[in-house]
Amino acid sequence: MPTLQAAHHDVTPTPALDSDQPRVVTTATGRRWLAVLRLATGFIFLWAFLDKTFGLGFSTPTDRAWINGGAPSQGFLNSDAVVGPLKPVFAAIASPTSDVLFMIGMLAIGVAVMLGIGLRVSAVVGTVLMLAMYLAEWPFAANAGSTNPLVDYHIIYALALIVVAVLAAGDTWGIGRQWKALPVVQSNRWLV
């Protein structure tokens, strides 16, 4: 049976995100798994950016790559994947501007989450993006192609972003602590 002292060594206190919040305490193993979740989630966004930019052939063929004149968000927003009552809304926002904003968002979320910086902003922007894509695919329809109308991968990605932000997962195997110590971040807590 492990002793209380042995269990104490596996517990790592983490600085609170704000001075009015209690300290978050998890096991060292838990912190590492949160870091793995953070890195994997960040890589999902970074990979989407890379594949859509260069047409690596996974979800984007080379001839539809952004660098070859492809339109990443327009291609999705004007496709048959967008269904349901919000289809006209999504078709109306499809434009070269939506392509740029979408790609900047994917890159920024991916890099920030992988580095462990700006996790609050990444969680908010990523969650809005994932919820928009979720609604665009309208999984509530019987033939929408979704295996679960309530919780699909968009929701899981959004939840993962929220969890890594709330639990300061950038402090482990990332540069979150250094980021939070910067004067600009100290004076603008929303950048945490």
Side-chain angles (χ1 to χ4, degrees), residues 24 48 50 59 101 118:
V24 177
L50 294 171
S59 67
L101 292 174

Side-chain angles (χ1 to χ4, degrees), residues 25-37:
V25 179
T26 61
T27 65
T29 302
R31 301 287 316 151
R32 288 185 205 107
W33 279 109
L34 280 170
V36 169
L37 176 64

Side-chain angles (χ1 to χ4, degrees), residues 1 14 23 34 40 46 74 81 95 123 128 131-132 136 147-148 161 163:
M1 178 176 204
T14 310
R23 292 170 62 90
L34 280 170
L46 183 59
Q74 292 179 79
S95 68
V128 168
L131 290 178
T147 59
N148 185 326
L161 287 169
V163 166

Side-chain angles (χ1 to χ4, degrees), residues 110-136:
V111 169
V113 172
M114 291 196 71
L115 291 174
I117 62 174
L119 295 179
R120 286 183 185 176
V121 174
S122 297
V124 170
V125 174
T127 296
V128 168
L129 180 63
M130 289 295 101
L131 290 178
M133 292 174 75
Y134 173 81
L135 291 173

Side-chain angles (χ1 to χ4, degrees), residues 137-159:
E137 292 180 6
W138 201 255
F140 311 108
N143 295 325
S146 176
T147 59
N148 185 326
L150 298 177
V151 181
D152 74 353
Y153 68 96
H154 298 101
I155 303 301
I156 299 301
Y157 294 167
L159 290 172

Side-chain angles (χ1 to χ4, degrees), residues 40-83:
T41 304
F43 190 67
I44 287 169
F45 287 88
L46 183 59
W47 180 260
F49 169 81
L50 294 171
D51 187 55
K52 290 174 185 340
T53 299
F54 301 107
L56 301 176
F58 289 87
S59 67
T60 307
T62 305
D63 61 322
R64 291 182 40 211
W66 198 27
I67 62 169
N68 292 333
S73 76
Q74 292 179 79
F76 170 73
L77 294 172
N78 291 319
S79 75
D80 291 336
V82 177
V83 297

